[in-house]
Amino acid sequence: MVPVNKDFVENMFSVKGKVALVTGATGALGCVLAKAYGYAGAKVFMTGRNDAKLKALEDEFKAEGIDCAYFVADPAKEEDVDALVKACVAQYGCIDILAVSHGYNKPQNVLEQSVADWQYIMDADCKSVYIVTKYVAHQMVAQYEADNTKRGKMVIVTSQRSKRGMAGYTGYCTSKGGADLMVSCLACDLSAKYHINVNSICPTVFRSDLTEWMFDPESAVYKNFLNREPIGRLGEPDDFVGYALFLSSDASNFITGSNCDCSGGYLVV
C-alpha cells in the first residue's frame, strides 16, 4: 500500500496558482464560483455575454486582490469559444480548471412551446457544454502532452432536473440530462489517457434574481419545496463552493464521470 504523503494531504484541496476558466460568470452561481476560485488563490478568467457586468466583476475582484481577467463570448457559438480559449491561454499560459456555470430556461408546456424555443434551450444548456468542453479539452490535452504532470479538471453545473421531469420543463430537463450523460462520455474520452477529470454538480433550486420569489416562506411553492428537502431549506450559491473547489483540486483525482448531488437531499424523498 502506498503510504499517505504529508505534503499531499496538506495541499490536496488547494487550487492556488491554478488557472480557472469560468463560464456564466455574471450569473448568480458563476459569480460566486469565480470569486471562490480567486479567494482560494487561483487566477480567474471569466466569460459571459455582458461586457458591462464582466467589467464590473473584474473591477470588484481586482479590488479584493484577485488575479482575474475576462472575455466576452457566447458559449453556444464555436467561433466565440475558440477565441475565448485562445484569450485565456494568451493571458495566463494555460487552463487548469474549467467551471461551466452558464444556463438558460424558458418554461413552457410542450403543447405551447415552439421547436425554436426548445432548440434555443438545448443550444444554451447542452450544445454549448459540448463546444466549451471540446475546445478546452484540446488545450488541456496539449498541456498534458507537453508535461504529463499537468492534470485538468472540468466541473459542469447541471441540475437535479437532469434526473426528474417537471411540467413545462421539456427543454430544460432534456438539456440537463444530456449534459450529465455527456460528462460520463467526456470522462471516458479524456480521463485515462490525458488525466482530465470531468464531473458535474447537480444542484436543486438556489437563490438568484430569477428564483428569489420562491424563497417567500409563506408561499405554497416554498412550502412544497421544503417537503422535498430533508436539509430543511433551499440552496444558496455559497452551498456549491466547497463541491466546486473539491472537484477542482487533487482531492478528487479518483473521481470522474460523476453527476454529483448537491441538493440538500432532494432525491432521497
Side-chain angles (χ1 to χ4, degrees):
M1 184 177 72
V2 178
V4 174
N5 179 282
K6 181 175 183 291
D7 182 67
F8 174 78
V9 172
E10 289 179 343
N11 296 284
M12 64 192 298
F13 293 101
S14 176
V15 296
K16 189 173 183 179
K18 301 291 187 181
V19 176
L21 171 58
V22 181
T23 75
T26 59
L29 182 53
C31 174
V32 169
L33 293 182
K35 184 176 283 190
Y37 284 123
Y39 283 157
K43 302 168 186 176
V44 183
F45 199 78
M46 302 176 288
T47 187
R49 296 186 296 176
N50 190 309
D51 185 89
K53 288 184 178 180
L54 286 167
K55 175 59 178 170
L57 282 179
E58 182 187 50
D59 292 343
E60 176 190 340
F61 289 3
K62 285 185 174 180
E64 298 196 47
I66 294 173
D67 188 347
C68 65
Y70 76 88
F71 187 87
V72 178
D74 183 340
K77 294 181 178 179
E78 192 171 358
E79 62 274 19
D80 280 20
V81 175
D82 184 23
L84 167 67
V85 171
K86 289 175 180 175
C88 183
V89 174
Q91 178 76 26
Y92 289 122
C94 67
I95 301 173
D96 300 300
I97 300 162
L98 170 65
V100 176
S101 59
H102 63 268
Y104 172 80
N105 191 23
K106 183 180 180 181
Q108 287 177 301
N109 185 287
V110 66
L111 299 175
E112 302 162 354
Q113 186 177 50
S114 69
V115 173
D117 282 345
W118 184 89
Q119 187 64 59
Y120 190 90
I121 296 169
M122 290 296 296
D123 288 351
D125 293 351
C126 192
K127 176 184 174 183
S128 64
V129 175
Y130 174 78
I131 295 172
V132 172
T133 54
K134 176 182 177 68
Y135 275 84
V136 172
H138 276 291
Q139 175 60 33
M140 288 182 171
V141 167
Q143 292 166 188
Y144 177 76
E145 289 179 338
D147 177 0
N148 62 16
T149 67
K150 293 282 283 183
R151 178 180 288 275
K153 300 281 188 173
M154 294 185 179
V155 182
I156 317 300
V157 178
T158 60
S159 172
Q160 288 297 309
R161 287 296 152 209
S162 69
K163 313 300 182 188
R164 291 184 182 273
M166 184 175 179
Y169 271 51
T170 304
Y172 189 78
C173 292
T174 304
S175 68
K176 294 301 184 180
D180 267 348
L181 190 55
M182 191 189 311
V183 162
S184 302
C185 297
L186 292 170
C188 293
D189 282 346
L190 302 172
S191 295
K193 188 173 182 180
Y194 301 111
H195 286 198
I196 300 171
N197 296 70
V198 190
N199 296 288
S200 62
I201 298 175
C202 307
T204 184
V205 173
F206 65 90
R207 192 186 303 271
S208 71
D209 290 343
L210 295 177
T211 63
E212 187 67 42
W213 65 275
M214 297 183 183
F215 284 71
D216 177 0
E218 300 304 317
S219 73
V221 171
Y222 181 84
K223 292 175 181 178
N224 182 57
F225 266 110
L226 285 196
N227 289 332
R228 296 297 306 276
E229 292 287 353
I231 207 164
R233 62 178 178 84
L234 300 187
E236 302 289 345
D238 289 355
D239 290 322
F240 311 111
V241 166
Y243 227 149
L245 291 176
F246 166 66
L247 292 174
S248 302
S249 70
D250 286 342
S252 62
N253 283 352
F254 200 59
I255 300 173
T256 196
S258 293
N259 305 144
C260 303
D261 177 82
C262 191
S263 67
Y266 181 80
L267 287 181
V268 304
V269 176

